[in-house]
Amino acid sequence: MDPVRNPYSPGAGTRPHALVGREAELEAFDIAVQRLAIGKSSKSMLLTGLRGVGKTVLLNEFGLIAADRGWIHEALEANDEINFPRAMATLARKSALRISAGKRTGARFTKILGVIKSFQITWKIPDGGSIDVEPFAGISDSGVLDADLGELLVELGELARERDRGVLFTLDEMQYLSKEQLAALVQAFHTVAQRQVPVMLTGAGLPTLHGLIGAARSYAERLFDFPDIDSLSPQAAAAALDQPAQDEDVKWDAAAIDRAVEVTGGYPYFLQEFGKQAWDVAPGPEIITRQDIDDAIPIAVAELDSGFFRVRIDRTSDSERLYLRAMAQQGRGPYTSGSVATALDKTTRQLGPVRDGLIKRGLCYSPRWGEIDFTVPMFDEFVRRAMPEA
Ligand SMILES: Nc1ncnc2c1ncn2[C@@H]1O[C@H](COP(=O)(O)OP(=O)(O)OP(=O)(O)O)[C@@H](O)[C@H]1O
Ligand SMILES: [Mg+2]
């Protein structure tokens, strides 16, 4: 059918035509924003889940909800080289300027600029000469990140409250932050919560994030919920395929939908990819049949193999690949580190660095002590296709 009208959208953070199955998270977020806006306490959310389940899409959606309520939304994506103090200072500065667009005067506005300045000096962040104020002595200048960040965010919150606004930070790929950075972030938002200013953090990361944050600050559970973002239920998965087509006056055969839901396991990225290919191969004009999805499966798999899956192993070393293969050869995970070591004729201690490397680069995670699994759904099948027995 006409590829121009194809309504499916495989991609990183690409808003799906039909965002289904996330009603609970969206509602919980909307309630949390409204509570914070009237000075009531509220837990925020840190979304955890595998690759391609829709975490980034949800964060973006949170940003739109907050904007609808008159809040400022600033987004940040972490990576393993991030200069965290600098990134936070930039977010604070941008937010302060946006909150006060139209009225860049007043004591609070001057104060936040001074506080940002003192934070920048303390953390050796070049400000590009854009903030022409004296540093505010005594706030955000202790050299202890937890405290300096907390004070910075509280000042920002005071400005937001004065202007009847709020600020939402969305922080994606949070598993890349170090333990110290996560600890500082949690502590800072703990301070923000105590002062009840309208500044909110929601974030997302791989399943490891929950454990990382818990280890960084034990009271994180009191500040954040950790909803597990997972594959869609069969009903929601069917809707994710059906609704976009319906809006283009195209129908899916029930058998075609069933088959697509089965092969994708209800994973959002795969639903978009298989939906897209089924649409393109279907002669149409108004229906996608079981035959069409069967024809589309090899095309969609090839597409995933050369893109979504392939990029994950592009920068891996030989020993990492051997490790991945030893995992995948055991079928679906999770796997025990011991069984992988046995398969490779090594000890778990010898393989420790390889295992840690795979976790650090976000390809694997440890669901429990002594266990390991892929962070990418159905990755075991890909590894068996891409790296058959030597
Ligand atoms: N609820 C949903 N219903 C249908 N499609 C969805 C849904 N959520 C996300 N998608 C689609 O799934 C794909 C992946 O979404 P997204 O990039 O947000 O995932 P992610 O969890 O952030 O992945 P990663 O961990 O790789 O960053 C996108 O193509 C998006 O359009
Ligand atoms: Mg993402």
Side-chain angles (χ1 to χ4, degrees):
M1 282 181 293
D2 182 6
V4 176
R5 283 168 52 221
N6 194 320
Y8 301 100
S9 56
T14 323
R15 191 177 200 213
H17 185 90
L19 176 68
V20 295
R22 306 297 187 214
E23 295 76 14
E25 288 80 12
L26 292 169
E27 198 192 335
F29 178 81
D30 195 20
I31 292 171
V33 171
Q34 293 182 66
R35 285 184 58 87
L36 284 182
I38 56 171
K40 293 208 186 306
S41 68
S42 187
K43 270 192 177 182
S44 184
M45 273 179 281
L46 299 180
L47 314 170
T48 61
L50 300 176
R51 292 282 173 209
V53 290
K55 301 180 296 296
T56 302
V57 160
L58 256 183
L59 286 185
N60 292 340
E61 221 55 31
F62 290 169
L64 294 177
I65 292 174
D68 264 353
R69 301 246 172 235
W71 283 40
I72 302 282
H73 168 221
E74 289 291 339
L76 176 67
E77 185 181 318
N79 57 59
D80 48 6
E81 286 163 13
I82 192 169
N83 179 333
F84 182 65
R86 180 179 188 157
M88 291 309 293
T90 305
L91 290 186
R93 180 172 160 276
K94 276 165 78 180
S95 313
L97 293 176
R98 285 180 61 199
I99 295 170
S100 23
K103 185 172 175 272
R104 294 204 171 138
T105 53
R108 283 248 169 255
F109 181 66
T110 317
K111 185 173 177 196
I112 183 73
L113 293 187
V115 171
I116 292 170
K117 184 96 182 180
S118 88
F119 186 89
Q120 286 174 330
I121 292 171
T122 309
W123 292 91
K124 303 192 175 52
I125 301 162
D127 78 353
S130 59
I131 298 185
D132 191 16
V133 290
E134 289 299 308
F136 196 102
I139 299 188
S140 292
D141 61 0
S142 71
V144 178
L145 188 57
D146 311 27
D148 291 354
L149 189 56
E151 288 168 359
L152 177 67
L153 295 175
V154 166
E155 261 338 300
L156 180 65
E158 296 287 3
L159 174 70
R161 183 153 62 188
E162 185 191 89
R163 309 275 164 118
D164 263 335
R165 307 292 295 268
V167 181
L168 170 71
F169 293 134
T170 54
L171 189 36
D172 208 353
E173 303 285 348
M174 273 180 81
Q175 76 281 348
Y176 284 121
L177 296 182
S178 69
K179 189 174 169 186
E180 291 70 34
Q181 291 165 344
L182 288 173
L185 202 57
V186 173
Q187 168 93 52
F189 275 92
H190 185 52
T191 310
V192 165
Q194 285 168 339
R195 298 286 294 271
Q196 294 183 332
V197 286
V199 178
M200 187 177 186
L201 170 74
T202 69
L206 294 173
T208 26
L209 178 65
H210 197 163
L212 290 173
I213 292 227
R217 282 283 180 270
S218 55
Y219 55 79
E221 305 278 340
R222 274 179 270 149
L223 288 173
F224 298 102
D225 284 323
F226 291 83
D228 186 15
I229 308 301
D230 205 344
S231 56
L232 300 173
S233 69
Q235 268 163 318
L241 292 169
D242 202 32
Q243 277 182 24
Q246 271 190 29
D247 292 346
E248 296 287 342
D249 295 320
V250 171
K251 281 177 92 122
W252 281 74
D253 261 358
I257 289 256
D258 288 349
R259 179 73 182 129
V261 170
E262 183 188 320
V263 288
T264 57
Y267 281 103
Y269 191 98
F270 301 157
L271 287 165
Q272 298 300 329
E273 185 67 61
F274 282 74
K276 174 171 186 248
Q277 301 304 337
W279 175 284
D280 281 354
V281 300
E286 281 160 358
I287 190 143
I288 296 174
T289 64
R290 168 69 203 240
Q291 185 60 50
D292 298 332
I293 184 74
D294 285 341
D295 293 343
I297 287 173
I299 305 172
V301 170
E303 194 63 35
L304 290 171
D305 280 4
S306 62
F308 185 77
F309 290 129
R310 170 69 52 184
V311 294
R312 322 281 165 185
I313 58 164
D314 270 352
R315 290 187 305 149
T316 49
S317 66
D318 286 348
S319 47
E320 286 172 336
R321 285 178 190 224
L322 285 174
Y323 196 99
L324 295 173
R325 205 179 62 186
M327 289 168 67
Q329 277 169 343
Q330 299 179 42
R332 176 115 334 155
Y335 319 92
T336 64
S337 320
S339 67
V340 180
T342 308
L344 292 170
D345 214 8
K346 294 241 164 77
T347 65
T348 45
R349 178 188 281 262
Q350 283 172 315
L351 287 171
V354 179
R355 181 176 177 275
D356 291 349
L358 289 169
I359 291 176
K360 196 144 185 277
R361 74 169 75 233
L363 207 57
C364 296
Y365 75 109
S366 175
R368 296 149 181 257
W369 196 82
E371 282 185 0
I372 187 152
D373 205 349
F374 299 111
T375 56
V376 185
M378 300 188 186
F379 202 69
D380 58 313
E381 293 172 29
F382 164 71
V383 172
R384 290 193 296 271
R385 282 193 297 273
M387 296 186 254
E389 206 88 47

